[in-house]
Amino acid sequence: MSSLKKSDKKAVLDFSAWSFNITTSVGIIMVNKALMATYGFSFATTLTGLHFVTTTLMTVVFRWLGLSQPSQLPLPDLIKFVIFSNLSIVGMNVSLMWNSVGFYQIAKLCMIPASCLLEVVFDHVHYSRDTKLSIMVVLIGVAVCTVTDVSVNAKGLIAAVIAVWSTAFQQYYVHFLQRKYSLNSFNLLGHTAPAQAGSLLLVGPFVDFLLTGKRVDHFNFSSLALFFLTLSCFIAIGVNLSQFICIGRFSAVSFQVLGHMKTVLVLSLGFLFFGKEGLNLQVVLGMILAVLGMIWYGNASAKPGGKERRSILPVRSEKHKGDPEEKVGAEK
């Protein structure tokens, strides 16, 4: 009976983590769409730097309140993480500019097999046949409802490759660092957010000028633009925290696969609030197929042998207590 209660508690925490991530991620996409499309703030890299500034402030407040315990992250690991993270952010922005929307979406889908390969190579993870097939169904479903025109050029392809692999390494590293150094989400964010905030605010204005031909310091803020910018920064705290919680509890692959629920929700909300242009039977069938694939993946990966780690990553003997997400349980 106690084991049943323990599994029920884990299921509730898992569902809460996913709900938190999906809600904040969809929310920030809708807010950023209004900020950029309606009010013309097109400085995506600088905006991400501001997101990490507010996230840094959150970690400082939590540490001051005693809700986050002191921890250590070696400087070489921090530098590698920040490089992967910033390359991911800049790479995705450049890829979107230099490629067609269709090829950009294909590149995003490639993050799932890239993450799978990293887990197989570094963690010796074995996937069952059903787990592999469910991932394929999700990829096909999302491709059907998002990929339209596909054109590629040399520099766009390079940007896409950098974006895909840097994102895969960044998400793998979130899980790796939490396991290796017994860091919970608050601890890891406390180490990485300040470094990302400083580096992105340093290079962000130059990257944005390269991509848009506009200077962020010349942007004329209206009161509504400032409101949406502030709202975006506050929601970003939840996005960054929930990403670390989800990847820490599950894995980068599960985060990518089940994370495509956000793609389906964004499409649905976009059609609901911004008009039904582009909504057709193909899009609807693609969304249904993607959701069915996610449900199948959740069931297949949870079964014995569905996804097994065949080598255990050594972790520190000392544990940081006080945060529920550090008790990962069975990995999905």
Side-chain angles (χ1 to χ4, degrees):
M1 187 71 178
S2 60
S3 61
L4 178 63
K5 289 182 178 179
K6 185 178 180 180
S7 64
D8 288 344
K9 181 180 179 181
K10 181 182 183 304
V12 170
L13 290 174
D14 289 348
F15 178 78
S16 300
W18 279 119
S19 300
F20 183 29
N21 180 255
I22 289 173
T23 301
T24 53
S25 297
V26 172
I28 201 168
I29 289 172
M30 305 306 289
V31 169
N32 286 351
K33 186 170 183 177
L35 176 63
M36 294 181 177
T38 304
Y39 299 103
F41 189 86
S42 55
F43 311 101
T45 310
T46 304
L47 178 61
T48 307
L50 293 173
H51 288 168
F52 280 107
V53 170
T54 53
T55 302
T56 299
L57 293 176
M58 180 272 294
T59 63
V60 171
V61 170
F62 271 59
R63 193 177 298 117
W64 179 67
L65 293 174
L67 299 176
S68 179
Q69 303 299 322
S71 61
Q72 297 293 325
L73 179 63
L75 183 60
D77 284 322
L78 174 61
I79 292 174
K80 283 187 283 188
F81 180 87
V82 171
I83 290 174
F84 289 139
S85 298
N86 290 356
L87 277 177
S88 169
I89 294 165
V90 175
M92 292 303 294
N93 290 338
V94 173
S95 176
L96 181 57
M97 176 189 179
W98 287 350
N99 293 310
S100 65
V101 175
F103 187 78
Y104 173 79
Q105 292 294 343
I106 290 175
K108 288 180 67 176
L109 292 176
C110 289
M111 292 174 190
I112 293 178
S115 296
C116 288
L117 182 60
L118 291 181
E119 289 193 352
V120 169
V121 171
F122 293 116
D123 293 344
H124 304 287
V125 170
H126 171 74
Y127 296 93
S128 69
R129 182 179 63 88
D130 281 357
T131 303
K132 294 174 185 175
L133 289 175
S134 66
I135 291 174
M136 287 297 299
V137 171
V138 173
L139 290 173
I140 293 171
V142 176
V144 167
C145 64
T146 61
V147 177
T148 51
D149 61 311
V150 179
S151 60
V152 63
N153 55 74
K155 64 179 184 179
L157 178 61
I158 293 172
V161 170
I162 292 174
V164 168
W165 282 106
S166 58
T167 301
F169 271 106
Q170 183 262 344
Q171 294 184 354
Y172 173 83
Y173 235 58
V174 169
H175 192 70
F176 173 82
L177 292 176
Q178 289 193 39
R179 287 170 57 85
K180 183 176 181 180
Y181 298 110
S182 300
L183 298 171
N184 58 47
S185 304
F186 296 106
N187 294 142
L188 188 55
L189 269 179
H191 292 293
T192 60
Q196 284 191 260
S199 56
L200 286 174
L201 287 181
L202 184 64
V203 303
F206 299 100
V207 173
D208 290 332
F209 180 76
L210 174 68
L211 296 177
T212 66
K214 301 175 183 177
R215 290 176 51 174
V216 65
D217 57 318
H218 288 176
F219 183 75
N220 186 22
F221 280 99
S222 65
S223 56
L224 280 175
L226 191 58
F227 168 77
F228 278 103
L229 176 64
T230 305
L231 182 60
S232 176
C233 288
F234 275 103
I235 297 176
I237 296 175
V239 174
N240 292 328
L241 179 59
S242 64
Q243 182 196 43
F244 281 26
I245 291 174
C246 285
I247 297 178
R249 292 189 67 83
F250 310 105
S251 70
V253 173
S254 294
F255 181 75
Q256 283 284 347
V257 174
L258 300 181
H260 277 296
M261 177 60 74
K262 293 175 282 190
T263 304
V264 174
L265 286 175
V266 168
L267 284 172
S268 303
L269 291 174
F271 293 136
L272 181 64
F273 292 110
F274 299 103
K276 294 182 173 57
E277 182 180 354
L279 179 63
N280 52 47
L281 182 61
Q282 174 184 326
V283 173
V284 173
L285 290 177
M287 289 192 290
I288 293 173
L289 187 62
V291 171
L292 291 176
M294 292 174 212
I295 295 172
W296 187 10
Y297 174 84
N299 291 328
S301 62
K303 290 179 180 178
K307 182 180 178 183
E308 292 181 330
R309 183 185 299 272
R310 296 189 171 179
S311 68
I312 304 301
L313 180 68
V315 297
R316 284 184 171 181
S317 59
E318 59 200 25
K319 289 283 185 179
H320 299 289
K321 300 179 181 179
D323 293 284
E325 75 270 12
E326 69 184 21
K327 300 180 181 178
V328 176
E331 183 180 341
K332 295 184 180 177

